[in-house]
C-alpha cells in the first residue's frame, strides 16, 4: 500500500526508478560496483499500467536512464542491468540500506 500511495506524488522518472529499485532489488548483490541484473516481473506495457503511465513515457524514462549510464537494457523487455545502483536510488528518492524492500510493497 505504501508504494502505491506514493506514486501519485512522484514524477514519471521517479516512479520508474522506484519500480526498478523495488522489483529489481532481490537479485542485487551487496557489492554496488558490480553490474546488477534485474529480471522484471512485467513488460513495459504492464509496468505502464501498474504505474499509471503511458507505454511511451515508460520507454522514454528507460531510455533516459540508459543514456545517463544508470541502466542498460537487456535482450528482452524483462531484463534490466543496473549499472549504478546509487544513482538509481537517488533518482527514485530512496535508500534501501538496511531496509527490506518487501516491506515497501506491503498492502
Amino acid at each position: 500500500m505504501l508504494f502505491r500511495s506514493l506514486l501519485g506524488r512522484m514524477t514519471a522518472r521517479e516512479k520508474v526508478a522506484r519500480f526498478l529499485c523495488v522489483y529489481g532489488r532481490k537479485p542485487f548483490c551487496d557489492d554496488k560496483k558490480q553490474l546488477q541484473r534485474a529480471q522484471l516481473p512485467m513488460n513495459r506495457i504492464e509496468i505502464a499500467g501498474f504505474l499509471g503511465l503511458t507505454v511511451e513515457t515508460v520507454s522514454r524514462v528507460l531510455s533516459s536512464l540508459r543514456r545517463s549510464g544508470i541502466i542498460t537494457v537487456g535482450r528482452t523487455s524483462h531484463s534490466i542491468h543496473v549499472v549504478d545502483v546509487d544513482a538509481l536510488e537517488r533518482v527514485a528518492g530512496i535508500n534501501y540500506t538496511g531496509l527490506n524492500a518487501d516491506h515497501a510493497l506491503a498492502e
Side-chain angles (χ1 to χ4, degrees):
M1 185 65 121
L2 176 64
F3 180 75
R4 300 282 287 186
S5 67
L6 292 174
L7 290 177
R9 300 182 187 114
M10 301 165 83
T11 66
R13 187 172 168 93
E14 290 168 332
K15 288 179 184 182
V16 173
R18 172 103 25 136
F19 178 87
L20 294 175
C21 286
V22 171
Y23 285 97
R25 190 70 186 167
K26 289 181 183 176
F28 288 178
C29 65
D30 290 335
D31 183 1
K32 291 187 175 190
K33 292 182 175 156
Q34 294 181 15
L35 293 180
Q36 311 298 314
R37 292 176 182 247
Q39 196 64 28
L40 301 176
M42 303 177 200
N43 62 31
R44 290 178 191 196
I45 294 169
E46 294 164 330
I47 293 169
F50 180 77
L51 297 177
L53 302 170
T54 65
V55 177
E56 295 81 8
T57 298
V58 170
S59 293
R60 277 193 296 273
V61 170
L62 290 173
S63 293
S64 170
L65 292 172
R66 183 185 51 75
R67 282 191 308 275
S68 298
I70 296 172
I71 67 169
T72 61
V73 179
R75 288 183 156 170
T76 69
S77 62
H78 292 271
S79 180
I80 300 287
H81 299 183
V82 181
V83 177
D84 189 341
V85 176
D86 292 329
L88 184 64
E89 289 178 343
R90 279 193 303 276
V91 170
I94 57 174
N95 183 349
Y96 278 122
T97 304
L99 175 65
N100 182 345
D102 291 343
H103 292 303
L105 299 176
E107 293 199 33

